[in-house]
Amino acid sequence: MSDAPREDEVLVIEDLQKVFTAPDGERTAVVDVPAFSLAAGEQVAIEGASGSGKTTFLHLIAGILEPDAGRILIDGENMAALAEAGRDRLRARSIGYVFQSFHLLQGYSALENVLLGMHFGPGPDRVRARGLLEQVGLGDRLDHRPRQLSVGQQQRVAVARAVANRPRLLLADEPTGNLDPTRASEALELLRAVSAEAGSALLLVSHDRGILERFGRVESFEGLRRAGEVSA
Amino acid sequence: MSALWLIVRKSLRQHALSTAVTVASLALACGLVTAIFSIERQARGAFGGGSGAFDAVLGARGSQLQLVLNAVFHLETSPGNVSWSLYERIAADPRVAAAVPYAVGDSYRGHRIVGTAPEAFALSHGGAARFSGQGRLFDAGRREAVIGSAVARRAGLAYGSHFQPAHGVIEAGAHDHEEDFVVVGVLEPTNTPADRVIWIPIEAVFRMGGHVLRGGGEDYHADPSQPIPDEHKEVSAVLLRLKGGMMGASLFREINYQQQEATLAWPVARVMAELFDKLGWMHRVLTLVAYLVVVVATGSVTASLYNTMNERRREFAILRSLGARRGTVFAAIVCESSAIALAGGVAGLAVHGAILGAASAAVRERTGIALEVFAPHPVLFLAPAGLVALGALAGVVPALKAYRTDVATHLAPTS
């Protein structure tokens, strides 16, 4: 396989493997993906059962976890080959992440939560942060802390924070897992719209059929795995 | 606003109570250190150089320290008297530039009365006595008094007031003399022991009812209608200004080792320095205690931050997921502990002010010497700066814990 990804590919994964060792010494390859790619602006959903390794897969792409083997090219830069500080830089610059539990910082206002993410990327831009929160319908909640916001509002802050640095790749891990079906649908549309407007490719993992059927391209995580049982 | 400052500010606000307690303990530690050093230096300066215009004190055979404390600082009791003839001899000595006789032993409402010559004020008050409002020096032949500012304030005396001295310098058990004195001047505050003194003519002390003069070796009671022969007069001390340092050395040798009829305390600063050297252990103990308080307070910074690390691991993991490096998280904790220490150092100056204010009032009450609350001293800068450095050090252990936070583990869904 060529080292150089296609020009329009934001994410290219080659022979990615992550092995966990159980306390009894048994080694299991939680992630073993021979090939996967995502084009610029593309929106893809990955389905899979809870505990199948989807979150680990996203953590590997985000550089939060270090793979045992393989390559993860983000805009041509191999995340897997970088030291931790380099992965931190690449993540801040090119990746946005929406977590299932949103992971907002409790002592910070909605605006500060968005601004803080910008500090580690291109730098704080108060006007853009306000604009994003207004775009997700929270223009009148800028100074509210997460505890003063509804679950749906917290989710919208998380979306605004994730796209604040204009990431090339937006990762979403069960982003509607804590919402009721109506709000989940609204949240998904918002995520897709904001992602499209920011020009980010969206990679979303979920086990919710209602969410998955809204995507044109849906991959099964089991289908991405290398065929056969793998023991490391 | 940088990310570090934002993180630090938020954390300090979120943990306001523990932050306030830690800042208070650091402030106490810093204030204690600065106060101890400041008081020690000012006390040494005030008492070590407290003689002002005088180089030496001549008095009865005995302790040089007691002589200086009694004649210069108006503390302690007089070690005894020397004859008028000795005073005249020393005053006429070519090595002596000026000699001022003191006669003590009476008081009024706890304030010591010193009999002296009007020339004393020209030497001890920078050339001339300055009065608050109307005032003049006493007439050497009348029952008149000039009083220090503290006497006026505390004994309720003013220009024109009358009072009767009590015999002895201890208020309890003293009996009043019958002689009535009138205040002819209230001196401006000098922030020296002189503020606590009532000055009267030395002749008036000699003639006070009940006083027995033994300058001639036998008891002599002054007759109001007759002049007192010089051979019967005696003085408690003679304050001397010498013509040079070498003169002092030769007088010291002559009086203390050759004649052995009196004691010369010279130089006054050396006598007081010896006292401070003897009391040096007390300063060292106090300093040690203050340093221990600093160590304990610094330890409390470590403990309070370390205890919050578990609850903050999720926060660090989120920051890392946003792109913060391990070093950023480490630096945030060190900056936080430094900020707490800085706040403690600044608040410590307020504690310093409170301690010095109280100490100054107490010292002034007992000695007349006023301590300056914020007298320049390197410790006023070094202690807060050192505290910030210690604070940064105190943050290292909690910061290492934050540094080691595993991101993936702490980003697991919470619901």
Side-chain angles (χ1 to χ4, degrees):
Chain A
M1 197 171 284
S2 166
D3 274 5
R6 282 183 6 230
E7 248 181 47
D8 64 340
E9 283 180 332
V10 173
L11 172 67
V12 176
I13 286 173
E14 297 167 358
D15 299 321
L16 182 63
Q17 197 174 71
K18 180 67 181 176
V19 177
F20 285 148
T21 305
D24 62 3
E26 188 187 353
R27 290 159 60 81
T28 306
V30 177
V31 174
D32 188 8
V33 178
F36 180 78
S37 64
L38 198 59
E42 194 177 3
Q43 299 194 340
V44 176
I46 295 178
E47 65 168 332
S50 294
S52 61
K54 303 188 301 292
T55 297
T56 303
F57 183 54
L58 292 191
H59 279 0
L60 287 168
I61 294 171
I64 290 171
L65 285 175
E66 198 175 1
D68 294 310
R71 304 203 315 158
I72 305 162
L73 300 175
I74 311 286
D75 257 352
E77 194 168 355
N78 186 4
M79 176 75 90
L82 295 172
E84 189 177 64
R87 297 202 305 273
D88 293 338
R89 267 194 297 272
L90 182 55
R91 178 166 63 252
R93 190 174 68 237
S94 303
I95 298 174
Y97 207 143
V98 181
F99 301 92
Q100 179 182 348
S101 302
F102 317 139
H103 288 323
L104 298 179
L105 290 163
Q106 293 302 320
Y108 297 65
S109 69
L111 184 63
E112 288 167 338
N113 263 286
V114 177
L115 279 170
L116 193 61
M118 292 173 146
H119 274 288
F120 305 118
D125 181 343
R126 189 169 279 268
V127 174
R128 175 168 166 74
R130 280 173 176 274
L132 283 168
L133 286 169
E134 282 165 7
Q135 188 184 343
V136 298
L138 294 176
D140 58 346
R141 298 282 191 277
L142 298 178
D143 296 324
H144 284 54
R145 305 259 171 104
R147 289 188 203 288
Q148 298 168 311
L149 299 172
S150 67
V151 175
Q153 289 170 330
Q154 290 182 39
Q155 212 259 9
R156 284 186 257 168
V157 175
V159 170
R161 184 180 66 182
V163 298
N165 291 344
R166 295 188 177 86
R168 293 280 287 150
L169 175 62
L170 184 59
L171 306 174
D173 186 3
E174 303 277 8
T176 59
N178 286 339
L179 304 177
D180 61 56
T182 307
R183 291 193 182 281
S185 176
E186 289 172 5
L188 179 66
E189 286 314 308
L190 176 70
L191 185 61
R192 296 186 68 174
V194 170
S195 171
E197 193 160 327
S200 310
L202 173 63
L203 179 61
L204 176 144
V205 301
S206 178
H207 62 275
D208 184 337
R209 302 301 313 170
I211 296 296
L212 294 169
E213 64 192 17
R214 311 273 282 274
F215 282 80
R217 179 185 164 193
V218 178
E219 301 275 0
S220 158
F221 189 63
E222 285 304 313
L224 291 178
R225 294 180 70 110
R226 196 182 300 276
E229 188 64 30
V230 175
S231 291
Chain B
M1 187 190 297
S2 78
L4 273 184
W5 173 235
L6 180 62
I7 296 167
V8 169
R9 192 168 58 86
K10 288 291 170 184
S11 177
L12 292 178
R13 188 178 292 181
Q14 276 182 288
H15 306 98
L17 181 62
S18 65
T19 298
V21 171
T22 314
V23 166
S25 65
L26 287 169
L28 181 65
C30 183
L32 272 178
V33 170
T34 56
I36 286 169
F37 276 91
S38 182
I39 289 172
E40 200 270 344
R41 176 183 274 195
Q42 289 195 67
R44 199 177 267 271
F47 286 96
S51 62
F54 301 104
D55 305 310
V57 182
L58 179 75
R61 196 92 185 125
S63 157
Q64 291 183 45
L65 177 60
Q66 187 183 359
L67 197 54
V68 170
L69 286 176
N70 185 253
V72 179
F73 297 100
H74 307 289
L75 300 167
E76 284 279 351
T77 53
S78 167
N81 294 333
V82 293
S83 66
W84 187 260
S85 61
L86 180 60
Y87 157 64
E88 287 185 318
R89 210 164 69 228
I90 199 81
D93 193 293
R95 293 165 291 188
V96 173
V100 173
Y102 276 6
V104 301
D106 295 315
S107 62
Y108 176 71
R109 292 189 180 173
H111 298 283
R112 297 179 182 222
I113 294 174
V114 176
T116 187
E119 299 80 57
F121 295 96
L123 289 168
S124 63
H125 285 75
R130 283 189 293 276
F131 296 97
S132 298
Q134 194 177 1
R136 61 170 173 81
L137 292 181
F138 52 70
D139 183 324
R142 304 173 73 92
R143 292 200 183 105
E144 294 178 341
V146 167
I147 63 174
S149 58
V151 179
R153 192 174 63 249
R154 295 205 297 251
L157 294 177
Y159 177 83
S161 299
H162 288 255
F163 68 95
Q164 289 178 312
H167 190 68
V169 294
I170 302 168
E171 202 169 4
H175 67 269
D176 287 348
H177 289 289
E178 290 178 355
E179 288 80 1
D180 184 77
F181 284 77
V182 60
V183 176
V184 296
V186 177
L187 294 164
E188 283 186 352
T190 59
N191 292 328
T192 67
D195 291 345
R196 298 163 47 243
V197 174
I198 298 170
W199 309 89
I200 63 173
I202 196 165
E203 186 78 10
V205 176
F206 296 154
R207 292 184 176 280
M208 201 91 74
H211 280 187
V212 180
L213 300 176
R214 298 188 181 89
E218 57 193 41
D219 289 0
Y220 177 85
H221 294 269
D223 183 340
S225 61
Q226 298 292 323
I228 304 171
D230 283 350
E231 67 262 29
H232 292 297
K233 294 177 183 172
E234 56 183 354
V235 296
S236 305
V238 185
L239 277 75
L240 302 175
R241 181 186 282 178
L242 306 176
K243 288 179 178 169
M246 294 301 290
M247 310 300 176
S250 100
L251 261 180
F252 184 82
R253 209 168 35 248
E254 197 174 300
I255 294 172
N256 290 349
Y257 298 122
Q258 292 169 9
Q259 297 173 354
Q260 296 193 359
E261 61 177 312
T263 292
L264 185 75
W266 173 87
V268 170
R270 193 257 312 159
V271 174
M272 292 307 293
E274 282 179 7
L275 171 66
F276 277 95
D277 289 342
K278 283 175 189 164
L279 296 177
W281 64 268
M282 201 163 67
H283 173 65
R284 286 192 290 276
V285 167
L286 285 174
T287 308
L288 181 67
V289 169
Y291 285 154
L292 284 176
V293 175
V294 169
V295 170
V296 171
T298 309
S300 75
V301 176
T302 302
S304 69
L305 281 176
Y306 195 85
N307 288 340
T308 65
M309 284 302 112
N310 280 340
E311 69 177 71
R312 293 178 66 184
R313 281 182 168 183
R314 184 171 161 274
E315 175 192 339
F316 301 140
I318 294 170
L319 289 171
R320 295 291 316 284
S321 76
L322 294 175
R325 295 185 220 169
R326 283 186 192 272
T328 305
V329 174
F330 181 91
I333 302 303
V334 171
C335 282
E336 186 174 333
S337 63
S338 304
I340 291 171
L342 179 64
V346 172
L349 295 179
V351 173
H352 169 95
I355 294 174
L356 261 288
S360 179
V363 172
R364 190 171 185 175
E365 178 77 17
R366 290 171 186 275
T367 68
I369 289 172
L371 301 179
E372 204 179 323
V373 173
F374 284 106
H377 193 298
V379 79
L380 288 176
F381 164 75
L382 290 175
L387 203 60
V388 172
L390 278 176
L393 210 59
V396 168
V397 173
L400 278 174
K401 193 169 182 181
Y403 182 90
R404 294 194 189 111
T405 299
D406 181 71
V407 183
T409 305
H410 294 92
L411 286 181
T414 53
S415 59

